[in-house]
Amino acid sequence: MARYIFITGGVVSSLGKGLASAALGALLQARGFSVRLRKLDPYLNVDPGTMSPFEHGEVFVTDDGAETDLDLGHYERFTGVPARMTDSVSSGRIYSNVLEKERRGDYLGKTIQVVPHVTNEIKDFLHIGEDEVDFMLCEIGGTVGDIEGLPFFEAIRQFSHDQPRGQCIFMHLTLLPYLAASGELKTKPTQHSVKELQSIGIAPDILVCRSEHPIPEKEREKIALFCNVRKEDVVAAYDLKSIYEAPLAYHREGLDQAVLDAFQISPAPRPDLTIWQDVADRIYNTDGEVNIAIVGKYVQLEDAYKSIKEALTHGGMANRVKVNVEWVDAEVFDTQEPAQHLDGFHAILVPGGFGERGTEGKIKAAQFARERKIPYMGICLGMQLAVIEAARNVAGMATAGSEEFDHEAGGKRFEPVVYHLKEWVQGNAKVKRKVSDDKGGTMRLGAYDATLIEGSRVAEIYGTTSIEERHRHRYEVDTKYREKLEEHGLRFSGMSPDGRLPEIVEWADHPWFIGVQFHPELKSKPFAPHPLFSDFVRAAVETSRLV
């Protein structure tokens, strides 16, 4: 049976909790333990798939097709353990399950209440897969005291009492603000946060304190005394230059040892941190740098493209270069020429997105990269727009566009080079969709196979002609235009196994121009960079040497 670590937050960002969870998971792995990380989110959306990127950042997609919180991306990047549908749940999903059971009659007409019905549903979720690993790390989203999170806190309190003694511990993240005027760290926010946690029946075993400055011994003793933890269990979390230094930093501060001590695991295996030492070395000892532009529509919130930015960093590690990412709002190209904003970059990436806003600017970015022979990667919508650009400006189809934009506008304006995907094969079953279907969870989601053309650039990059990548889209390039586009040099170098759905396109006469319908960034890790991003950065390095 797994040992459970519940990670809660006081006055601290979600990135702080997610990063601490991921780093702790990596440290336990380094000691030879198996881990699984989970996220319990208090928002009422059934899943993040229908949430605006401005609201919640990117949607991370798992192999089995779950649309999840971006923290699961951190979990995967640090542990290498593929996330599953059962690793993320929201209040909305919990309430939806309870109401479905009530409508089916599962509760035999009883009055449905938060306690015990909602809390039992949460506990059932926590039990899933508990015999598969040594440690289950469960991060509770939000901040202690938030009304939305109270059912989760009550559920984990009950859960810890249901388990055998010593099977569960609580780790609480707080902030130690620094007052420059008086030159001191203030411990009161931490004390009040712990008091709030204790008032709902949870006593933290370990405190992780975010701080910009070293925590004096006197303040550490004060926190331990008033928060009822051992001094050794007050762990400092200082600001870092790179998130990938977190496992080494937390190990230096003794977080993994504090966890093992709390579970009375002694003697504990010594950690092998070779991988993370190599990662840190590749971050801080580089042989140059490249500048890459991300032309997107959600650039005001960088978390909307979190996995892409991290995958570019991983590609930099693979080439021992620093990748400088600059965010370019696609809408500026509606009134200004691309050269004003894209000159000087060594590569251009156009990510996915939804809706017509900003798409004409992205098409201009693709055209700029094609004509100037600058390395280009188009992801999901970025691939579709590269195909539209080729159709318009190379194949002579002036009205080429996407059905998505016509559906949004409510009238036909374009020749649909990109169409609404109505059916596809998933495993041994055929999936069918209509334009009028609900938006949430109805896309082509999760891992699908693709077959690459022998001798193509992507086949060389992957080193194979058979790949599996994660998808999240409901529009697809129409194969009836394939022959015409290939006559003009745009090669369809990757297709679904049945040959019906284009997965990858590339310009044969371009140094590096690749569009992919899937999301390769979701599988990239610092110790195992995705081959597409590694080669994309390599191409950017080559371009930088020519400038």
Side-chain angles (χ1 to χ4, degrees):
M1 182 183 293
R3 297 176 176 90
Y4 281 81
I5 305 170
F6 294 108
I7 299 135
T8 59
V11 187
V12 67
S13 70
S14 60
L15 175 61
K17 278 208 304 297
L19 182 57
S21 304
L24 177 56
L27 287 174
L28 292 172
Q29 279 185 326
R31 289 181 179 267
F33 297 104
S34 58
V35 301
R36 180 158 289 282
L37 287 87
R38 291 200 164 138
K39 181 71 178 284
L40 295 83
D41 253 317
Y43 54 77
L44 284 169
N45 300 70
V46 174
D47 60 55
T50 55
M51 297 172 72
S52 165
F54 293 118
E55 289 275 335
H56 202 64
E58 77 168 2
V59 173
F60 189 82
V61 179
T62 62
D63 281 335
D64 56 3
E67 295 177 289
T68 69
D69 181 85
L70 59 83
D71 278 330
L72 268 72
H74 285 304
Y75 303 164
E76 274 205 27
R77 283 188 283 273
F78 278 79
T79 66
V81 178
R84 299 190 301 216
M85 193 173 293
T86 51
D87 291 334
S88 176
V89 74
S90 66
S91 289
R93 173 64 63 188
I94 293 294
Y95 288 129
S96 177
N97 290 349
V98 170
L99 292 175
E100 286 173 10
K101 289 182 178 181
E102 189 269 340
R103 301 308 289 168
R104 282 201 311 262
D106 291 8
Y107 300 123
L108 303 177
K110 290 181 180 178
T111 301
I112 306 305
Q113 297 175 283
V114 172
V115 181
H117 299 98
V118 171
T119 52
N120 283 348
E121 189 72 23
I122 295 170
K123 289 192 289 183
D124 289 345
F125 166 79
L126 292 172
H127 280 296
I128 297 172
E130 65 182 2
D131 294 327
E132 300 174 3
V133 293
D134 298 316
F135 286 96
M136 195 77 79
L137 284 70
C138 303
E139 177 192 346
I140 315 302
T143 301
V144 60
D146 290 347
I147 191 169
E148 299 93 342
L150 289 176
F152 286 110
F153 285 105
E154 172 60 19
I156 62 175
R157 183 195 68 77
Q158 293 179 20
F159 188 91
S160 67
H161 281 277
D162 295 341
Q163 297 292 93
R165 187 182 296 274
Q167 284 295 115
C168 301
I169 67 168
F170 295 93
M171 190 172 99
H172 190 56
L173 274 77
T174 66
L175 179 68
L176 293 182
Y178 178 77
L179 295 185
S182 58
E184 62 179 340
L185 289 171
K186 302 302 292 183
T187 65
K188 277 298 182 206
T190 294
Q191 293 178 46
H192 281 285
S193 182
V194 171
K195 185 178 180 181
E196 182 73 25
L197 200 59
Q198 290 171 335
S199 72
I200 55 179
I202 295 173
D205 300 282
I206 297 170
L207 291 178
V208 177
C209 302
R210 286 286 301 272
S211 176
E212 298 178 18
H213 298 269
I215 304 175
E217 197 68 14
K218 179 182 175 183
E219 302 304 316
R220 201 180 290 255
E221 292 173 354
K222 183 178 179 181
I223 293 168
L225 176 64
F226 287 103
C227 296
N228 200 33
V229 299
R230 299 187 315 158
K231 187 179 71 172
E232 295 79 9
D233 293 330
V234 179
V235 178
Y238 299 121
D239 292 346
L240 304 171
K241 291 181 180 179
S242 167
I243 62 172
Y244 298 115
E245 194 185 342
L248 297 176
Y250 275 122
H251 177 66
R252 286 194 300 268
E253 295 299 323
L255 176 59
D256 49 333
Q257 189 60 53
V259 167
L260 296 173
D261 289 345
F263 282 113
Q264 297 183 348
I265 298 175
S266 181
R270 293 182 62 82
D272 180 3
L273 297 172
T274 306
I275 288 177
W276 293 104
Q277 290 163 350
D278 179 62
V279 166
D281 179 64
R282 289 176 177 274
I283 292 171
Y284 296 120
N285 298 303
T286 58
D287 297 328
E289 58 184 55
V290 293
N291 303 318
I292 297 179
I294 297 180
V295 181
K297 62 189 291 186
Y298 311 118
V299 295
Q300 296 92 327
L301 182 66
E302 294 181 11
D303 275 357
Y305 304 116
K306 187 65 180 176
S307 290
I308 289 176
K309 186 175 186 299
E310 297 308 321
L312 287 171
T313 300
H314 306 161
M317 293 179 192
N319 292 276
R320 279 201 175 269
V321 296
K322 179 184 178 184
V323 177
N324 300 315
V325 171
E326 185 165 325
W327 310 91
V328 180
D329 189 340
E331 289 187 273
V332 302
F333 300 148
D334 292 342
T335 56
Q336 301 174 36
E337 288 301 312
Q340 298 179 44
H341 299 274
L342 298 179
D343 269 341
F345 286 104
H346 306 127
I348 297 168
L349 188 150
V350 174
F354 295 90
E356 188 174 3
R357 183 177 63 83
T359 54
E360 290 300 322
K362 291 181 178 182
I363 289 171
K364 289 181 180 178
Q367 181 181 4
F368 181 86
R370 177 179 59 81
E371 294 176 347
R372 299 289 187 95
K373 304 295 184 183
I374 298 171
Y376 174 93
M377 182 188 288
I379 296 175
C380 198
L381 180 63
M383 166 189 163
Q384 296 170 7
L385 296 177
V387 172
I388 291 172
E389 189 278 322
R392 288 181 184 178
N393 300 321
V394 181
M397 300 166 58
T399 59
S402 171
E403 272 192 348
E404 179 179 10
F405 311 149
D406 281 346
H407 291 157
E408 186 178 336
K412 182 171 175 55
R413 299 168 294 158
F414 298 110
E415 183 172 354
V417 174
V418 177
Y419 72 103
H420 183 271
L421 188 58
K422 296 175 178 61
E423 66 177 50
W424 64 88
V425 175
Q426 185 174 15
N428 297 320
K430 183 176 288 187
V431 181
K432 294 187 177 182
R433 290 284 184 264
K434 300 190 297 291
V435 176
S436 58
D437 284 347
D438 291 340
K439 299 304 180 189
T442 59
M443 289 181 275
R444 187 174 179 234
L445 291 165
Y448 287 87
D449 294 333
T451 302
L452 311 184
I453 303 299
E454 191 80 49
S456 63
R457 180 181 294 277
V458 288
E460 292 176 7
I461 292 171
Y462 276 99
T464 181
T465 56
S466 180
I467 64 171
E468 182 188 77
E469 295 284 1
R470 296 178 189 174
H471 293 67
R472 183 176 182 254
H473 63 104
R474 60 169 57 91
Y475 290 86
E476 183 75 57
V477 174
D478 197 332
T479 52
K480 76 179 183 182
Y481 297 97
R482 176 179 180 177
E483 185 177 346
K484 184 172 185 178
L485 289 166
E486 288 197 325
E487 286 176 359
H488 290 84
L490 184 65
R491 189 179 191 186
F492 284 59
S493 54
M495 300 290 293
S496 60
D498 61 6
R500 296 179 60 188
L501 305 178
E503 295 280 12
I504 307 174
V505 296
E506 58 183 59
W507 280 106
D509 62 348
H510 193 284
W512 209 102
F513 191 109
I514 295 174
V516 296
Q517 184 57 72
F518 46 82
H519 290 268
E521 71 274 14
L522 300 180
K523 284 193 167 187
S524 188
K525 302 168 185 66
F527 43 81
H530 193 284
L532 276 177
F533 281 90
S534 296
D535 205 63
F536 181 56
V537 174
R538 180 203 57 77
V541 172
E542 291 296 320
T543 302
S544 71
R545 291 170 179 165
L546 298 174
V547 175

